[in-house]
Amino acid sequence: MKEKLEALREKALGELATLETPKELEEFRVRLLGKKGEITELLRGMGALPAEERPKMGQLINQLRSELETALSEREQNITALLKEKRLKEETLDVTLPGTKTKEGGLHPLNIVLNDLIDIFQSMGFDVVDGPEVETEHYCFEALNVPKDHPARDMQDTFYLAENLLLRTQTSAAQARTMEQRKPPIRIICPGRVFRADEVDATHSPVFHQVEGLVVDKGITLCDLKGVLEQFAHEIYGPETEVKFRPSFFPFTEPSVEVDVTCSECGGKGCRVCKGTGWIEILGAGMVHPRVLAGCGIDPEEYTGFAFGIGLDRLTTTRYKISDIRLLFENDQRFLEQF
Ligand code: PHE
C-alpha cells in the first residue's frame, strides 16, 4: 500500500509539471482529488485494511492529498504568471515606432496661384469681392455696353438657363454690380468660375477661371493700368519678365489692350508653349467705357477707371508647365499630389 502511494505521488507530481493550461489543471484536479478521484477512491478502499493499519494509512493518504493540493496551486500560480508574461510579450506596443501617416489634403494648383494673386493685389489696396455664377443678361452684357445684337456676344458662346438668365461668360459681370453698390474710389478684384460653350481640348474648357479687376477714381489713367499690371506680372513671373501691351477691343473698355508677357518656358526665344512667338497672352484690359460708368450712376466727367480680366487657368498652366488644361478639372489624385 505504501509503495502504491509513493508511485502515485511520483506519477502525479511528474504529470503536474508538464501541465500548461488552466483547463489541464482542472482535469488533473478532478481526476485525482475530485469526489470520484483516485485519492478519494484510496480513502474509500481503506475499509479493506486491517483495523490497526487504518489510522496510519489514513494519515499518509491525507498527507499526499494536501501535498498534491499545494503542488497544484503552486503550478496554477506559475501557469497564470507564464500566461500573463506571454500575453504581455505578444501585445507589446512600441510607442517609439513612427506612426502611420494619413494623407494630407492640399491646395489645388488654381487656388495656389489665386492666393498669390490675391496677395499681390491686396498689397496694392484691392478688395476681393464675389459675384454670382448665375447672372442676368443685364450684368453680363447690357451693363457692359454689349447690347442684344452686338457681334461681341458671338465672341462668348453663352450657356442660357432661361430667358435672361445665364452662366456668366466673364467675371466682368462683377464690374457693374460693384459700381452700383459702391461709391468711388473703387479698387476690387473678383475671382471666379466662368462658362462658355467651348469644345474641350488641351487649351479650352467650357468652365474656366478669371480674375476681374476694377479701379475707379478721380484722375485714373492708362498709366495707372500699365503700372499695376506690370507690377503684377513682375511679381508673378519674376522682375526680368517683359510686358507688352497690344491694342485690342472689348465693348466695355476704351481704349482696350491685351497684355502679353515673355514666355516663361523659353524666356522669349520661341518654343512650343508660346507657339514660337516668345510671348504669352495673360489678360485683357482697358479704360472703363464712359457709357459703362454712366450706366452705373458714376459721372464719367468726374471719374475714370480701368478694368482687367486675368485668365487664371493660363497663368497656372504656364507657371507649372502643365501641358493640358483638362488636368485642372479632372481631379486626378496623382496629378494633384504634385502641388
Ligand atoms: N472680360 C474680358 C474677357 O473675358 C476680359 C476683360 C476684362 C477685358 C476687363 C477688359 C477688361 O475676355
Side-chain angles (χ1 to χ4, degrees), residues 63-113:
Q63 229 173 36
L64 176 60
R65 180 171 40 200
S66 72
E67 193 187 344
L68 287 180
E69 274 169 357
T70 318
L72 187 71
S73 87
E74 270 172 15
R75 184 70 192 152
E76 211 162 16
Q77 279 170 20
N78 273 346
I79 285 182
T80 325
L82 279 175
L83 285 179
K84 191 171 161 192
E85 204 177 302
K86 193 169 156 232
R87 237 183 84 192
L88 282 177
K89 245 189 217 148
E90 279 170 5
E91 291 179 7
T92 28
L93 176 70
D94 185 350
V95 290
T96 64
L97 282 175
T100 10
K101 272 208 174 153
T102 38
K103 271 194 187 168
E104 265 177 57
L107 288 178
H108 191 282
L110 283 171
N111 278 330
I112 299 175
V113 176

Side-chain angles (χ1 to χ4, degrees), residues 140 144 155-156 169-173 175 194 196 208 210-214 225 248-258 281 283-288 306-311:
C140 199
L144 296 173
M155 283 162 59
Q156 307 191 346
T169 57
Q170 49 185 355
T171 44
S172 299
Q175 267 193 47
V194 297
R196 290 182 200 176
F208 56 104
Q210 287 186 333
V211 180
E212 179 81 2
L214 174 71
L225 169 65
S248 183
F249 170 79
F250 299 102
F252 32 90
T253 47
E254 180 59 38
S256 301
V257 293
E258 275 175 310
E281 184 197 322
L283 60 88
M287 299 305 292
V288 181
F306 65 78
F308 54 89
I310 300 169

Side-chain angles (χ1 to χ4, degrees), residues 267-288:
K269 286 197 246 5
C271 69
R272 206 172 52 87
V273 174
C274 56
K275 299 198 178 83
T277 63
W279 296 96
I280 290 183
E281 184 197 322
I282 55 164
L283 60 88
M287 299 305 292
V288 181

Side-chain angles (χ1 to χ4, degrees), residues 26-285:
E26 179 59 13
E27 280 165 11
F28 177 87
R29 194 188 62 76
V30 172
R31 184 150 44 80
L32 279 147
L33 307 165
K35 268 190 204 140
K36 289 180 186 159
E38 287 180 49
I39 301 277
T40 322
E41 291 296 310
L42 283 176
L43 283 170
R44 281 214 191 104
M46 286 221 310
L49 292 177
E52 66 276 14
E53 282 184 29
R54 281 182 210 160
K56 180 81 186 132
M57 273 317 289
Q59 204 190 353
L60 284 175
I61 296 173
N62 279 333
Q63 229 173 36
L64 176 60
R65 180 171 40 200
S66 72
E67 193 187 344
L68 287 180
E69 274 169 357
T70 318
L72 187 71
S73 87
E74 270 172 15
R75 184 70 192 152
E76 211 162 16
Q77 279 170 20
N78 273 346
I79 285 182
T80 325
L82 279 175
L83 285 179
K84 191 171 161 192
E85 204 177 302
K86 193 169 156 232
R87 237 183 84 192
L88 282 177
K89 245 189 217 148
E90 279 170 5
E91 291 179 7
T92 28
L93 176 70
D94 185 350
V95 290
T96 64
L97 282 175
T100 10
K101 272 208 174 153
T102 38
K103 271 194 187 168
E104 265 177 57
L107 288 178
H108 191 282
L110 283 171
N111 278 330
I112 299 175
V113 176
L114 176 59
N115 285 346
D116 287 355
L117 223 131
I118 289 175
D119 278 350
I120 293 170
F121 282 106
Q122 272 180 341
S123 77
M124 291 194 263
F126 285 70
D127 283 346
V128 180
V129 304
D130 204 14
E133 290 178 355
V134 175
E135 262 297 2
T136 59
E137 282 189 310
H138 174 75
Y139 286 112
C140 199
F141 295 127
E142 263 105 73
L144 296 173
N145 194 33
V146 192
K148 269 242 143 53
D149 45 6
H150 195 288
R153 284 213 194 179
D154 296 341
M155 283 162 59
Q156 307 191 346
D157 274 329
T158 310
F159 288 116
Y160 276 88
L161 300 173
E163 171 129 6
N164 200 18
L165 206 60
L166 47 82
L167 295 176
R168 67 177 173 193
T169 57
Q170 49 185 355
T171 44
S172 299
Q175 267 193 47
R177 282 185 179 275
T178 310
M179 288 193 290
E180 278 179 4
Q181 283 161 16
R182 300 192 182 191
K183 297 253 143 325
I186 295 171
R187 246 181 269 131
I188 58 124
I189 56 170
C190 172
R193 278 198 292 191
V194 297
F195 307 84
R196 290 182 200 176
D198 263 337
E199 291 290 328
V200 181
D201 65 26
T203 53
H204 292 87
S205 162
V207 188
F208 56 104
H209 301 79
Q210 287 186 333
V211 180
E212 179 81 2
L214 174 71
V215 172
V216 182
D217 202 354
K218 285 180 179 153
I220 297 288
T221 70
L222 196 64
C223 283
D224 298 307
L225 169 65
K226 252 189 111 181
V228 165
L229 292 181
E230 262 169 10
Q231 172 74 15
F232 152 74
H234 287 158
E235 293 210 33
I236 283 281
Y237 288 106
E240 65 294 335
T241 303
E242 284 181 54
V243 184
K244 181 165 80 174
F245 290 75
R246 274 185 291 113
S248 183
F249 170 79
F250 299 102
F252 32 90
T253 47
E254 180 59 38
S256 301
V257 293
E258 275 175 310
V259 176
D260 300 340
V261 292
T262 37
C263 175
S264 53
E265 180 73 27
C266 62
K269 286 197 246 5
C271 69
R272 206 172 52 87
V273 174
C274 56
K275 299 198 178 83
T277 63
W279 296 96
I280 290 183
E281 184 197 322
I282 55 164
L283 60 88

